[in-house]
Amino acid sequence: MEQKPAHVALAEYILAQGMKKQDFAAIVGVRNDHFSRWLAGQVRPARPTRMLIAMITDGAVPTDAWE
């Protein structure tokens, strides 16, 4: 099975958890506008932040999905 792009997996995770995007952005410590660019697939977070996202999502958004 092919891995989903990270920005898609992250958006799906947030929706499935019933979270608000701005709440997840606050958890990882980024501004809402920058987080929106991640979700749009325009930019990707730095590697340490990708690792944090993988940990927070319990692997639903793996670090290597951002590559």
Side-chain angles (χ1 to χ4, degrees), residues 19-65:
M19 298 179 78
K20 293 181 179 179
K21 294 174 190 173
Q22 58 265 32
D23 293 337
F24 195 91
I27 291 169
V28 295
V30 297
R31 293 187 333 244
N32 291 338
D33 61 329
H34 194 71
F35 187 70
S36 292
R37 293 176 65 204
W38 291 355
L39 291 179
Q42 296 172 338
V43 295
R44 62 183 184 188
R47 184 145 178 85
T49 306
R50 288 182 255 162
M51 293 170 64
L52 176 62
I53 291 169
M55 186 181 72
I56 292 168
T57 63
D58 198 26
V61 184
T63 303
D64 63 349

